[in-house]
Amino acid sequence: MAEPSAAAPAVTDGGITQELIQRHGRSPQPESRQLVAVLQAVTDVILAEGLSLTPAALFAATMAALDRPETQASPEVALAMCTLLGAVLPRLHNGILRSKFSGASAVMCALLEKHRSHANVCKAALHCLSPILGGLDPSNWPPALLPFNTLLSFAVDGRPKVRKKAQAGLVEVMAALRGGASHGQASEAIARVCQALLPLPQTAAKAAAAASNKQRAAAEESIAAAVGDVLHLIGALKDLLPLMTASTLRTVVDLLFQLYPLRQPLLSRHTTQALAALAASPASALSPAMLAEMLAVVVDSDETLWDRRDADTVLSLTRLVEGGFQRLAVADSKLAAARLPRALHVLLPQLAAEQDGVRVGTSMALRSLLRSCIDADMVSNGLAAMEGGATAAPPIRSVVAAVASSLGPRYQEGWVLAIPVAGELLEVLGPLGGAPLAADVVAALGALCAGAADAQQQADAADPLGESVTRAAAASAAVTSAAEAALGVALRSFGPEAVLQVLPLLFKEGLDGTAEPRTWLLPLLRKHVRGASLGYWGRSLCPLAMLMASRAATATAAGRSDLAGSCRALEAQLWAVLPSFASWAVDLPTAYPSVVKLLAGAFQNRPDLRPAVCSALTRMATQVRLVLASAGAGPELVGYASASNPTPSDAAASSSSEFFNQAVHGPDGDDETVMTHGAAGQHLHMGADYTEATARASLTALRKFAPNWVKVLTASFLEAAPDGRGHVTGTLSALASITDAPSLAPFFRETLTKLLQLIQEASPNPADAVASGSKGIVIEGGSDPVSRRCSFIELALALASGVDDVGLDALFKAAKPGLTESDPALQKKAYKVLSYLTRQRRPFLRSHLTQLLQVTLTAGPASLSAAKRYRLRSLQPLVLLLTGAMAVKAQGEDGSASEEGRAVAAQVVAAAVAASGDAEEDEEMEVDADARLRGVVAGLVGEMVLACKESNTKTREAAYDSLLDLARSMDTADPPVHVPAPMTSVAAGLAGGTLAVMEEGEEDAEVEGIVQSGGLHTLFSIVMAGLVGSTPHMVSAAVLALARLLFEFAPRLQSTAPALLPAVLMLLRTKSRETVKAVLGFIKVCTMRMPAVILSAQLGPILEGVLLWGDDSKNKFKLKVRVIVERLARRCGYESVAAHMPPSEAKLLAHIRKAAARKERRRAGPRTGGASQADGSVYDDEEEGDEDGAASQRASSRGGAKTARGSEWGHTAIFSDAGGSQAGGDTKGRKATRVARSEAGRSSGGAGTAAAGGGARLSEGAGGGEPMDLLEPNTSRKLVKTAAGVRIAPREAPGGGGGADPVFGSSEGKMVVEDEDPFAWQKRKSKRKRIGEEGYDSDDSDMEDLKGFAGLKLAMKSGVF
């Protein structure tokens, strides 16, 4: 059939013909060819009549053709006509449809009736009938009755595609009729169909029950047909119910509820889904009263609806309740509040269900219900009822009681999922002031935490080394973690005062033996308290700490040293929570004047409490600075140093800002309080109630006492030993930042004066020594002149955050001589000052760039290894400033840089030229500024590269970190140009300078090509220059640095690595073993991080180079080569590697292939503990790392630079003499710890399933005594201990006698631990030692028989066993 001619008129039909021709014109299918022919005929008829090719003309011509009997007789022609009409109707004006509605609908109904057996024709006709019905005149429903019923009849058709098309058409029609006069009549038509079909299953079931045996088959067929029709109708009702009128919804909903007694799981599930769609739809006509009634029917029903054996039905009903209550809470919050308790009581038992999906889904639904339905009115009514003593419990009290009951013994198997529900309730009640209502929940959580603490205490007593990790203990750990997290929510939402009112610490009562103290609460207070009342700590907890100190003194006088130690420990823990109460304290302006006296007294009289006091002061000052700095306050209020950790784009990268981290956290910062967010601690997150006005008032209060604190802290700093000054240094820095300049200046001036005096005393010039002696001798800060000088440098540095650039100039001059001193400690302190000036004080860096560059360049040869870390940190901001100037200057040549930027760049270039040359020589000859600048940058980067070869691990890691921070910062400042480049082959990638990242088995995809430009490429090129260094040490250092950059930025350096590989491989032909060792490590990195397509293209040169050292066993080169070949074989394929291997090395590849096959067989078969591991080789870890590396590379190719766990960077793992991937230096103890932790992690991961699946059982008392009383208040606490595998002592069991447990086990205060063999743990340790040394376990019966064999060890070494 011919396509429409090219001479067709311009398209005026809205693109109908073009769309159909593009879709079907080239298709060989008969239906498409028929459609093209029909379209050609219709357009020819329209053009022959002299009409324009418009949607109206196409509609008229098509309908006229469909009205003919001969057209309707042919299914093929009718299908093509309906397809054409379906493309025309959406573009047709609604008025035309309305005027031609009767005729068009009649034609469609006739066509559907005539071709009911042809599914394709029915689909096309239904697709046309729905828009025709949508154009109905709302005031004239009778003409639409027949077509609408026709559409309804096909909505339950047995053919899925036809049925879905009819159901979609019904939804479209109902949406169009909504709000009109015909909406109610259409809804009634749907209701009539429901009344006719929905009762059919019940009728058929009754008929089948009364049928005889001969009629049984026919009756069952009728049941199946009825159920099928009802399921089809329910499928349509899922979308139709929200569109129906309110008057018809009740009838349909009642009919749907009558389906549940049939006990058909599939029917019940789909019915519930339809009701859930109705209940959750915000646009449905369901009134709040009717919705509440429907929800009441669901939650008040018995097993008729809630068939607990059918998990899918239970989950569907749970979603129905969840969605319905969420909508009811929006429509009528009072109705939702009144019915919420009943819903919770129905859903809570499902937390202990057998099915995992039911438990998890129920927990999520309960949390959503609490979050949606509890509001301020509900809480206020509950509080009013509590104060007024109302007899009827308000809804919120019932909700709290229900949630508290879920933490009782009945739901022990569901505690892991019930505790988050309790945490959600506490989080909702907190902002609404509902803390008094949640006392029962807080008490229940406290019982769980207390039981966990008891279990941990007894487990530690039974297993001092913590070697045994049982499944029960792992499950208990999951419950404990969840309970502590929920209590943490209570502490954050209600505040510690409300929680401690429900769960008092009871330290005094514990010492008296009348109650058990809640010592486990102190770590939670320290971890979770934020934005609390500082005055509450001073009123309640500080007096308790003083009481503990008094009891400790009394016990010491009485000779009870153990009791005294316990009291002192409790006192220290009470002071340790002070920083948490000081974090974002909203009452700091009013409470600080009274608390500061307590802090000062503790600092002066109790050196052991100084860290806690310093941490609190640091937090208060730092948080005030953060808020005011973010509000735009000047340095006169927040100091001159950075108020937050610098970002990598600044001169100071966050990963290296050690001084600021010490100033904020102190060196004794713990993981509980320094939970990182970026580089800042958790206590740096501003509280919701902490405003700028609060910060300004707090600053005023802090400044009032800041000079006194600076004086006290300065004296304490000079008196303390160097290793005990960390907390004082950080506090001094924080307080100096907020102290006004006139008050701080005398302290800084005095410190610098004494420092200069010490410098003069150490000067070899006698005149300087005499001048310093006339001023008096400085004896503070240390026992010798060097230590005193170091102390005053560090003290001046701590005060520098509140000093302007003028004062810093004096500090710089005082610290400059120390850069060339031969004493490591003195040089380290001087470089610490230099690092601070370059990283934290950007204005000073710009204004003194020449001097800083000069001193950095001249002091380089004299730098010692001990000070190298701080020197490296000072190099990075200098390199960033210089490279930034180079980039700006290049942009200035193009005209894209601003005037200000060019001026700053010119100043930087001038400073670099002045710092790196001789002024007299520069005047005599013309100086190439660009070359001089590039030389300075290359020299500084070269020093960072050489530091990668340092033997000191910390220095080497600092060099790597500085290099990576510099790369990230340069990349951010000068990003590369991304060009979309679809690559499908290696050759194309290498030719274009880019390469697609495709793993084996992946399809070709369009990836981003990266032009070889940008800051990262600039740094990589600078480091590459080291490959032509004059010494093997420099060459190997450059290779190490390139390997580290390639490992971190592999996706970004794919275009550079192929060009770099030949130059690196040439180094394998040198005689320097130092260089060869580094190159082998570089190739190993390439095999880990580069795409397989690049490795395949470079297989020949790589194998040719590494196999040169395949027979050299010195430095483990032979083993390294084997590891590389094995990785290449796994990444690129054994056949590809074999094609490039010389025949002499074929045995090596064959051995590798056999070893890999053997490992695969072991992995596929059942593993029996350590046997298969012992049989494995060190290359098991290599393969795991490679797999993780491939995964990490796919992640990195999407933009990330982090690697997977199994392929994290490790210098020792890659470049050490050991060929494997294990990081060197790990002891057996560390390895055992890692194994134990991994086992605990795996057990914890399945704790929820194990606990919920019936793994835990109720204890029956100790020693077969009386059964446990589940109504006893302390039962939950005991069950936690039982779940952890701890046997309940007889005195704890019901009926065992004894009241509350005393704090200590004996009258002397000693803890009594019963152990039949107190040296059992030593025997276990010696047993493990025998296993490690002799290679066998003495408990193994097979090895026991061979013990007497003299050649056992030799046989084991030779591989006989």
Side-chain angles (χ1 to χ4, degrees):
M1 297 182 184
E3 298 181 6
S5 63
V11 177
T12 60
D13 58 355
I16 297 174
T17 56
Q18 183 180 2
E19 176 186 340
L20 292 176
I21 289 174
Q22 288 179 350
R23 184 174 181 180
H24 300 278
R26 298 182 181 275
S27 175
Q29 297 297 326
E31 294 83 359
S32 298
R33 299 178 69 85
Q34 180 70 47
L35 175 60
V36 172
V38 167
L39 178 61
Q40 179 69 59
V42 171
T43 54
D44 289 345
V45 169
I46 294 173
L47 296 177
E49 295 291 335
L51 301 175
S52 300
L53 201 62
T54 62
L58 288 170
F59 172 72
T62 305
M63 290 304 303
L66 278 173
D67 200 16
R68 298 173 185 172
E70 59 272 17
T71 303
Q72 295 185 7
S74 173
E76 293 79 10
V77 177
L79 173 61
M81 286 288 183
C82 290
T83 304
L84 174 58
L85 187 62
V88 172
L89 286 173
R91 297 172 173 86
L92 196 63
H93 193 272
N94 199 35
I96 299 176
L97 274 178
R98 189 167 295 178
S99 63
K100 300 295 182 181
F101 175 79
S102 299
S105 60
V107 170
M108 288 296 108
C109 291
L111 198 62
L112 285 168
E113 185 64 29
K114 190 174 188 64
H115 297 288
R116 181 176 287 269
S117 60
H118 295 86
N120 289 336
V121 178
C122 291
K123 284 167 48 183
L126 290 169
H127 183 64
C128 298
L129 184 58
S130 56
I132 292 175
L133 276 170
L136 170 70
D137 184 3
S139 61
N140 188 16
W141 171 252
L145 188 58
L146 177 61
F148 191 79
N149 287 331
T150 302
L151 200 59
L152 276 173
S153 65
F154 279 94
V156 294
D157 193 272
R159 294 163 293 186
K161 293 184 178 180
V162 175
R163 182 174 65 252
K164 290 181 180 179
K165 183 66 71 174
Q167 292 174 357
L170 279 172
V171 173
E172 180 182 346
V173 172
M174 291 297 294
L177 296 177
R178 191 168 189 178
S182 302
H183 185 209
Q185 295 170 315
S187 299
E188 291 176 358
I190 298 175
R192 286 193 295 269
V193 174
C194 294
Q195 289 173 341
L197 293 181
L198 292 180
L200 288 181
Q202 187 175 6
T203 304
K206 292 180 179 179
S212 61
N213 293 335
K214 294 182 179 180
Q215 298 173 340
R216 180 69 62 183
E220 291 178 355
E221 291 179 1
S222 64
I223 291 177
V227 171
D229 291 341
V230 170
L231 287 175
H232 297 158
L233 180 59
I234 292 175
L237 289 177
K238 292 177 184 179
D239 297 320
L240 291 176
L241 283 176
L243 300 174
M244 295 175 63
T245 59
S247 59
T248 57
L249 280 177
R250 181 175 294 276
T251 302
V252 179
V253 169
D254 291 342
L255 291 171
L256 289 173
F257 274 117
Q258 293 176 8
L259 296 175
Y260 284 102
L262 297 177
R263 294 286 188 172
Q264 292 290 332
L266 190 61
L267 209 55
S268 300
R269 190 181 314 145
H270 285 275
T271 301
T272 306
Q273 293 172 0
L275 293 174
L278 172 63
S281 175
S284 68
L286 201 63
S287 64
M290 186 176 176
L291 176 58
E293 184 181 349
M294 185 177 74
L295 292 174
V297 173
V298 174
V299 299
D300 292 337
S301 61
D302 51 8
E303 294 296 328
T304 303
L305 266 67
W306 298 87
D307 187 2
R308 307 293 179 182
R309 297 167 299 177
D310 186 2
D312 293 332
T313 301
V314 172
L315 277 177
S316 299
L317 287 169
T318 303
R319 296 189 188 101
L320 167 59
V321 174
E322 177 187 0
F325 269 94
Q326 286 178 345
R327 187 187 165 201
L328 185 60
V330 175
D332 192 335
S333 58
K334 293 183 178 179
L335 275 176
R339 286 163 174 77
L340 180 61
R342 177 57 183 162
L344 294 183
H345 283 287
V346 170
L347 294 179
L348 280 172
Q350 296 175 189
L351 293 174
E354 296 180 358
Q355 303 91 343
D356 291 343
V358 173
R359 290 194 302 271
V360 175
T362 302
S363 178
M364 296 175 64
L366 287 170
R367 297 172 65 181
S368 177
L369 285 176
L370 296 174
R371 189 167 51 249
S372 304
C373 299
I374 298 178
D375 56 7
D377 293 337
M378 190 176 182
V379 174
S380 61
N381 294 336
L383 292 174
M386 178 184 293
E387 294 174 358
T391 55
I396 189 63
R397 296 291 300 276
S398 300
V399 169
V400 172
V403 175
S405 68
S406 68
L407 304 178
R410 177 183 176 187
Y411 300 103
Q412 181 188 4
E413 296 180 354
W415 276 347
V416 174
L417 295 172
I419 292 174
V421 177
E424 188 72 33
L425 175 63
L426 299 176
E427 189 171 2
V428 171
L429 290 177
L432 302 177
L437 299 170
D440 293 342
V441 177
V442 174
L445 290 172
L448 295 178
C449 291
D454 294 343
Q456 184 63 42
Q457 182 179 2
Q458 296 186 20
D460 292 343
D463 187 12
L465 297 181
E467 297 172 342
S468 60
V469 180
T470 62
R471 186 179 183 86
S476 178
V479 174
T480 304
S481 177
E484 291 179 352
L487 265 184
V489 172
L491 289 169
R492 292 190 299 269
S493 301
F494 301 156
E497 188 171 357
V499 174
L500 291 177
Q501 187 175 359
V502 180
L503 299 172
L505 293 174
L506 300 178
F507 286 175
K508 181 179 180 299
E509 294 79 359
L511 293 175
D512 297 336
T514 59
E516 185 170 358
R518 296 187 174 95
T519 56
W520 50 267
L521 257 177
L522 293 176
L524 297 181
L525 291 174
R526 188 179 181 186
K527 182 176 181 180
H528 296 288
V529 171
R530 297 292 182 272
S533 171
L534 180 62
Y536 175 76
W537 183 90
R539 294 189 308 269
S540 300
L541 298 185
C542 187
L544 184 58
M546 294 179 178
L547 176 63
M548 293 298 104
S550 175
R551 288 292 186 96
T554 304
T556 302
R560 300 183 61 182
S561 58
D562 45 5
L563 178 59
S566 300
C567 292
R568 291 194 191 97
L570 292 176
E571 180 196 12
Q573 292 185 58
L574 287 169
W575 276 94
V577 302
L578 170 62
S580 299
F581 280 85
S583 293
W584 307 111
V586 293
D587 66 338
L588 191 149
T590 57
Y592 183 71
S594 59
V595 174
V596 70
K597 299 177 182 179
L598 301 174
L599 303 184
F603 189 91
Q604 291 281 14
N605 303 322
R606 294 289 302 276
D608 57 318
L609 301 180
R610 289 179 181 178
V613 175
C614 289
S615 180
L617 293 172
T618 303
R619 289 196 183 187
M620 290 185 284
T622 303
Q623 290 161 2
V624 167
R625 292 184 63 214
L626 284 174
V627 176
L628 295 181
S630 62
E636 67 279 359
L637 294 180
V638 297
Y640 294 87
S642 300
S644 60
N645 281 336
T647 59
S649 60
D650 295 332
S654 60
S655 60
S656 303
S657 54
E658 179 178 348
F659 176 78
F660 182 78
N661 285 334
Q662 288 184 353
V664 173
H665 312 303
D668 56 339
D670 55 278
D671 294 335
E672 293 178 352
T673 57
V674 186
M675 300 173 67
T676 58
H677 175 75
Q682 183 186 14
H683 66 275
L684 298 182
H685 299 171
M686 187 170 65
D689 300 331
Y690 202 92
T691 62
E692 182 184 351
T694 306
R696 290 188 179 275
S698 301
L699 177 64
T700 303
L702 291 172
R703 273 192 165 185
K704 183 178 180 181
F705 301 94
N708 299 333
W709 275 118
V710 172
K711 181 179 180 180
V712 172
L713 290 170
T714 301
S716 175
F717 177 90
L718 295 174
E719 293 173 0
D723 56 353
R725 295 171 176 169
H727 54 277
V728 179
T729 304
T731 308
L732 261 177
S733 178
L735 290 176
S737 300
I738 63 171
T739 305
D740 55 288
S743 301
L744 184 65
F747 298 102
F748 187 74
R749 190 183 306 114
E750 182 183 1
T751 302
L752 278 184
T753 301
K754 293 183 178 181
L755 175 60
L756 293 174
Q757 185 177 347
L758 289 170
I759 294 174
Q760 291 175 356
E761 291 177 0
S763 174
N765 189 352
D768 294 339
V770 171
S772 64
S774 62
K775 301 177 184 179
I777 301 176
V778 179
I779 60 174
E780 307 165 276
S783 58
D784 57 89
V786 173
S787 61
R788 287 194 287 267
R789 188 174 169 185
C790 292
S791 298
F792 278 97
I793 290 177
E794 192 168 359
L795 178 59
L797 184 59
L799 298 173
S801 56
V803 179
D804 57 9
D805 289 354
V806 177
L808 282 186
D809 187 48
L811 175 61
F812 173 55
K813 292 178 181 178
K816 187 189 302 184
L819 297 175
T820 55
E821 291 284 350
S822 59
D823 187 87
L826 193 57
Q827 191 177 111
K828 184 188 297 184
K829 299 300 180 184
Y831 272 114
K832 202 171 182 180
V833 173
L834 186 63
S835 174
Y836 170 78
L837 296 177
T838 56
R839 299 173 74 86
Q840 296 279 340
R841 305 298 290 268
R842 295 296 300 275
F844 184 87
L845 173 62
R846 294 193 184 98
S847 60
H848 294 72
L849 181 60
T850 302
Q851 298 93 314
L852 290 171
L853 274 175
Q854 280 181 341
V855 72
T856 301
L857 295 175
T858 56
S863 63
L864 303 175
S865 178
K868 204 65 117 174
R869 279 187 295 157
Y870 294 102
R871 177 174 172 83
L872 291 174
R873 293 173 185 174
S874 63
L875 294 181
Q876 180 192 344
L878 294 174
V879 174
L880 280 177
L881 197 58
L882 297 176
T883 54
M886 294 171 58
V888 172
K889 189 174 182 182
Q891 294 174 1
E893 297 175 356
D894 301 337
S896 58
S898 62
E899 289 292 337
E900 182 181 0
R902 290 199 295 269
V904 174
Q907 294 177 3
V908 172
V909 173
V913 172
S916 59
D918 189 355
E920 296 180 358
E921 294 181 359
D922 292 346
E923 291 178 357
E924 295 176 358
M925 62 184 66
E926 295 183 359
V927 179
D928 186 355
D930 293 342
R932 184 71 61 82
L933 181 61
R934 288 194 296 270
V936 172
V937 172
L940 297 178
V941 175
E943 186 173 351
M944 298 171 68
V945 170
L946 281 173
C948 296
K949 291 284 292 182
E950 286 285 339
S951 58
N952 186 282
T953 303
K954 291 184 178 180
T955 303
R956 189 171 61 242
E957 291 177 354
Y960 284 137
D961 291 341
S962 300
L963 202 61
L964 293 180
D965 292 341
L966 179 62
R968 296 189 187 99
S969 301
M970 293 179 65
D971 185 54
T972 303
D974 186 13
V977 180
H978 295 265
V979 180
M983 291 291 168
T984 57
S985 66
V986 177
L990 296 176
T994 58
L995 193 62
V997 184
M998 293 187 298
E999 296 295 332
E1000 298 178 23
E1002 293 184 355
E1003 297 181 358
D1004 295 346
E1006 183 176 300
V1007 297
E1008 285 187 323
I1010 301 178
V1011 178
Q1012 294 186 0
S1013 63
L1016 179 61
H1017 177 76
T1018 301
L1019 178 63
F1020 200 74
S1021 302
I1022 295 174
V1023 178
M1024 284 175 59
L1027 295 178
V1028 294
S1030 58
T1031 62
H1033 188 76
M1034 181 63 201
V1035 174
S1036 60
V1039 174
L1040 296 182
L1042 291 173
R1044 185 65 185 98
L1045 291 173
L1046 182 62
F1047 186 91
E1048 190 73 14
F1049 304 100
R1052 307 285 302 277
L1053 298 174
Q1054 293 167 11
S1055 59
T1056 308
L1060 173 64
L1061 266 175
V1064 176
L1065 292 173
M1066 286 295 296
L1067 297 175
L1068 289 172
R1069 303 182 183 276
T1070 64
K1071 295 182 180 180
S1072 170
R1073 304 185 70 85
E1074 180 183 13
T1075 304
V1076 172
K1077 178 180 177 181
V1079 172
L1080 290 177
F1082 178 85
I1083 297 174
K1084 185 176 180 181
V1085 170
C1086 291
T1087 61
M1088 294 167 60
R1089 301 290 286 130
M1090 297 305 296
V1093 286
I1094 291 182
L1095 292 176
S1096 300
Q1098 301 288 333
L1099 267 179
I1102 291 175
L1103 290 172
E1104 180 184 357
V1106 299
L1107 289 176
L1108 294 174
W1109 301 89
D1111 296 329
D1112 193 330
S1113 299
K1114 190 176 181 180
N1115 300 111
K1116 302 291 182 66
F1117 281 179
K1118 183 176 182 180
L1119 183 58
K1120 289 176 178 289
V1121 170
R1122 174 178 167 176
V1123 170
I1124 292 173
V1125 174
E1126 185 176 1
R1127 282 186 175 274
L1128 288 173
R1130 287 200 304 268
R1131 297 292 306 280
C1132 305
Y1134 287 95
E1135 289 72 15
S1136 300
V1137 174
H1140 296 86
M1141 290 275 286
S1144 59
E1145 303 293 341
K1147 292 183 178 180
L1148 172 62
L1149 187 60
H1151 175 72
I1152 292 174
R1153 188 194 293 262
K1154 291 179 180 178
R1158 185 165 57 249
K1159 286 184 289 187
E1160 288 298 327
R1161 287 195 300 269
R1162 284 201 308 270
R1163 290 181 178 180
R1167 305 191 65 169
T1168 57
S1172 61
Q1173 288 287 356
D1175 192 28
S1177 65
V1178 294
Y1179 306 105
D1180 290 335
D1181 296 325
E1182 291 286 334
E1183 183 169 358
E1184 181 180 356
D1186 184 68
E1187 293 170 354
D1188 292 336
S1192 68
Q1193 179 167 337
R1194 287 192 291 270
S1196 298
S1197 66
R1198 294 189 291 269
K1202 297 297 181 183
T1203 59
R1205 172 189 56 81
S1207 60
E1208 292 179 352
W1209 172 263
H1211 175 92
T1212 308
I1214 295 176
F1215 298 107
S1216 68
D1217 291 339
S1221 64
Q1222 295 289 343
D1226 288 343
T1227 62
K1228 293 182 180 180
R1230 289 185 191 172
K1231 189 171 183 180
T1233 303
R1234 288 199 303 270
V1235 171
R1237 287 180 180 175
S1238 64
E1239 290 176 356
R1242 288 193 294 269
S1243 300
S1244 299
T1249 304
R1257 290 293 182 265
L1258 299 181
S1259 172
E1260 297 184 356
E1266 297 181 3
M1268 179 174 290
D1269 185 5
L1270 299 182
L1271 299 180
E1272 187 181 355
N1274 210 25
T1275 301
S1276 297
R1277 178 173 182 172
K1278 296 176 181 177
L1279 286 178
V1280 174
K1281 297 168 64 175
T1282 304
V1286 178
R1287 182 178 61 87
I1288 299 178
R1291 58 185 175 87
E1292 293 183 83
D1301 298 337
V1303 181
F1304 309 104
S1306 66
S1307 59
E1308 293 81 12
K1310 297 181 179 180
M1311 180 181 294
V1312 178
V1313 180
E1314 297 181 1
D1315 194 345
E1316 296 179 0
D1317 187 357
F1319 301 100
W1321 64 275
Q1322 293 183 354
K1323 295 179 180 180
R1324 290 194 297 268
K1325 183 176 180 181
S1326 61
K1327 176 182 176 181
R1328 289 195 307 275
K1329 185 175 180 181
R1330 290 198 305 272
I1331 295 173
E1333 294 176 353
E1334 301 176 8
Y1336 58 85
D1337 188 347
S1338 61
D1339 290 341
D1340 190 340
S1341 59
D1342 295 333
M1343 300 302 297
E1344 188 74 21
D1345 297 335
L1346 295 173
K1347 270 187 168 182
F1349 178 58
L1352 175 61
K1353 292 185 179 180
L1354 179 62
M1356 293 181 68
K1357 290 182 180 179
S1358 61
V1360 176
F1361 294 106

